[in-house]
Amino acid sequence: MPSRRELFRCAVVGVAVTTALGAGALAWSSTLLGEYSVMTMGGGHGGNGDVGAGADGHGGHAAGGQGAAEASGTGGAADAVSVTSLVADPDRPADVQVELVAREGTVDVPGGRSIEGYTVNGTSPGPEIRARQGDLVEVELVNESVTDGATLHWHGIDVPNAADGVAGITQDAVPVGGRHVYRFEATDAGTYWYHSHQVSHVQVERGLLGAIVIEPAAASDPSSAAASSNAASRDVTALLHVYGGQHTLNGRVGDERVEAEPGAIVRVRVINTDQGTASVWSAEPFRVVAIDGQEVNRPTDVEEQRVLIPAGGRADVAVQAPAAGEAVRLHVGGARSMLIGDPAAPEASAPPVRQPSQTLDLLAYGSPAPLSFDPSAPDRSYDYVIARRFGIIDGRPGNFWTINGRMFPDVPMFDVAEGDVVVMHLRNDSGDVHPMHLHGHHVVVLSRDGVAASGSPWVVDSLDVHPGESYDIAFVADNPGIWSDHCHTLPHAVDGLVAHVMYEGVTTPFTINGDAGNRPE
């Protein structure tokens, strides 16, 4: 028979263990996200310092109020503007109308093996959409069989917020049998792409994507420097994607030939839809004429250097076709290449070449040109510091990303007001590369590691930030809404590397993890 003392000790130990288990269970359950609104994220904003005010002294709002309207910063429910009202002119007829049908199932990969994934109008990549600058584009998404629901995000196009296609923020995911219409003006000519922003780390990787090209409204003045540098007689797309370990170019496992007359300039629009950085290089000189849809001012020849394109990013390069009977090889993405020139030229005339070790520095490429705004005295100034630490998110223990020392969902919400000039200081204190993508805006790179930009304005929507690097970037808050600002290595976003730029007075009725099944990342 145990003594009273032993029984008492066992009882004390039992109570302690039960208390510890209960406390652990309570702590674990407190990490479960459940249904939530982005309006209640953050608890404070990541400005100068952490909970910061902007450079003008504006304070951030305290998220986590009684609902979207009440948590909207300046102004209450009576002043609130819903994301659903931020649309293109509803009375304007569309110039370009497209129906895109999303399906879940087998994806045929010509030249390789089929995978289980997603198609758009029966193929992956889906059909390329072409519009002209100034067109009103209307796209109807039909979800025929994507069981988790689907959306379309217009990567790099500064669409009205209602058309941004982020499940749980700007719309509900479109269920099987459902339809959703996106309308936006094709304001900026350039190279872009579309992809699902519902369970994006799965649906993008497995093929729910396609290219969209916005052509200039009119031909440039042929006497201008920009026209002479950037004009092309042929225009082709090189969309890069990996399907189940298979590196493809425009959906095929194989290289492509591009027919061009001797001396002709071919514009190759390289779109990196993958989770890592892509390289472009050639044994012959070429020029980088646009980055993320934005023209480069006075580009020069690139020789014995590679161009790096972040995940989600794009680069338009101009290649001159060689003499009759010859071709030039442009390596795109490492595993694939394009042979440009005489279609009868033997492949041996343009053999593969080793990737250069030197990278073109876009901070100093091209010639300076005036900006449309002055970033030297911003209205708002924010830090965006990426690091990593152990913790629990939604019941999952792991080594998660942090923003300004905070782990999701307690990450900063960056407040802006329409018309603000905003400067962000991006710093990567983690051990991984992060291709940072801000929705709804393009940013200009002011400096890297304290070195000021000296070339053509480097204007991007997708920017690789390497370990230990820091960037100062700026943009004008000219597109009201609630905008994701996240890493486009999409599994990183799943693990918390996503924040938001929130315009004062804008709210959303949509939620994440609720009955609509919205899971944007």
Side-chain angles (χ1 to χ4, degrees):
M1 290 284 294
S3 67
R4 286 187 176 182
R5 178 175 293 180
E6 290 172 330
L7 289 172
F8 179 74
R9 180 189 294 169
C10 289
V12 169
V13 170
V15 169
V17 170
T18 302
T19 301
L21 290 174
L26 182 63
W28 175 82
S29 64
S30 70
T31 71
L32 299 178
L33 296 178
E35 181 178 5
Y36 68 95
S37 167
V38 293
M39 303 300 301
T40 61
M41 288 175 58
H45 291 220
N48 297 324
D50 182 30
V51 196
D56 60 354
H58 292 170
H61 72 256
Q66 295 301 309
E70 289 78 9
S72 62
T74 63
D79 306 329
V81 175
S82 173
V83 297
T84 59
S85 68
L86 299 171
V87 298
D89 182 354
D91 297 323
R92 179 179 168 182
D95 301 293
V96 176
Q97 289 183 296
V98 180
E99 181 183 80
L100 297 179
V101 180
R103 299 182 179 95
E104 183 173 346
T106 301
V107 179
D108 181 36
V109 183
R113 67 182 185 281
S114 299
I115 69 159
E116 291 305 303
Y118 306 90
T119 61
V120 183
N121 290 10
T123 66
S124 181
E128 178 174 296
I129 299 172
R130 287 249 171 182
R132 192 164 292 278
Q133 190 175 13
D135 282 350
L136 195 289
V137 179
E138 182 176 289
V139 179
E140 184 171 25
L141 169 65
V142 179
N143 181 359
E144 184 171 293
S145 58
V146 180
T147 55
D148 285 329
T151 69
L152 289 179
H153 167 62
W154 308 94
H155 190 114
I157 304 178
D158 299 342
V159 300
N161 198 216
D164 197 39
V166 183
I169 299 178
T170 63
Q171 68 172 94
D172 282 332
V174 181
V176 174
R179 297 170 176 261
H180 188 88
V181 175
Y182 301 88
R183 286 170 53 87
F184 55 88
E185 183 177 319
T187 304
D188 296 321
T191 305
Y192 308 99
W193 62 297
Y194 60 86
H195 63 80
S196 180
H197 225 301
Q198 162 72 352
V199 200
S200 60
H201 68 291
V202 174
Q203 294 188 4
V204 175
E205 180 181 346
R206 296 185 186 175
L208 213 167
L209 55 89
I212 176 168
V213 174
I214 300 173
E215 299 170 345
S220 302
D221 177 0
S223 65
S224 71
S228 60
S229 298
N230 298 3
S233 55
R234 282 217 61 186
D235 183 316
V236 296
T237 299
L239 187 148
L240 309 177
H241 196 72
V242 177
Y243 295 88
Q246 304 169 101
H247 292 262
T248 67
L249 172 58
N250 296 324
R252 300 181 61 89
V253 177
D255 297 340
E256 283 192 10
R257 282 187 174 268
V258 178
E259 183 176 357
E261 296 294 325
I265 302 297
V266 178
R267 185 180 188 120
V268 182
R269 301 176 181 268
V270 186
I271 304 173
N272 181 13
T273 70
D274 284 315
Q275 307 298 305
T277 306
S279 299
V280 175
W281 73 94
S282 177
E284 302 299 326
F286 63 92
R287 293 185 176 188
V288 180
V289 295
I291 294 290
D292 285 358
Q294 310 298 302
E295 294 288 300
V296 173
N297 185 49
R298 297 181 183 273
T300 55
D301 285 350
V302 178
E303 300 182 78
E304 298 182 352
Q305 291 181 302
R306 62 183 179 181
V307 177
L308 296 182
I309 307 176
R314 290 86 60 214
D316 294 13
V317 300
V319 179
Q320 186 170 29
E326 299 178 0
V328 59
R329 184 183 296 269
L330 180 72
H331 291 266
V332 287
R336 303 273 73 87
S337 58
M338 284 184 157
L339 272 72
I340 299 168
D342 191 330
E347 284 202 26
S349 68
V353 295
R354 185 183 299 274
Q355 181 175 171
S357 59
Q358 186 173 356
T359 300
L360 178 69
D361 188 357
L362 294 171
L363 196 71
Y365 182 68
S367 298
L371 298 177
S372 60
F373 66 99
D374 181 7
S376 64
D379 301 294
R380 312 269 179 152
S381 182
Y382 288 118
D383 289 330
Y384 194 129
V385 181
I386 302 166
R388 203 170 194 180
R389 66 178 169 87
F390 286 97
I392 301 176
I393 295 178
D394 203 19
R396 293 184 299 128
N399 191 19
F400 294 109
W401 310 107
T402 62
I403 300 173
N404 295 355
R406 297 178 177 186
M407 203 162 59
F408 192 90
D410 189 32
V411 291
M413 296 286 278
F414 299 109
D415 254 344
V416 300
E418 189 172 2
D420 280 348
V421 173
V422 183
V423 168
M424 281 189 174
H425 180 73
L426 280 170
R427 191 173 83 236
N428 184 358
D429 290 344
S430 77
D432 283 56
V433 179
H434 298 296
M436 301 308 296
H437 172 54
L438 173 60
H439 290 209
H441 304 76
H442 278 74
V443 305
V444 61
V445 177
L446 304 177
S447 66
R448 182 184 60 235
D449 297 334
V451 177
S454 58
S456 171
W458 185 10
V459 182
V460 299
D461 57 66
S462 304
L463 177 67
D464 262 351
V465 186
H466 289 257
E469 281 187 337
S470 64
Y471 282 88
D472 288 311
I473 61 174
F475 65 94
V476 177
D478 57 3
N479 194 6
I482 301 172
W483 301 100
S484 292
D485 189 355
H486 66 99
C487 179
H488 221 274
T489 299
L490 296 174
H492 291 184
V494 174
D495 284 345
L497 192 37
V498 53
H500 300 85
V501 170
M502 177 177 287
Y503 280 68
E504 294 178 349
V506 176
T507 69
T508 177
F510 304 108
T511 61
I512 298 171
N513 288 349
D515 291 340
N518 295 322
R519 291 185 291 154
E521 310 304 340

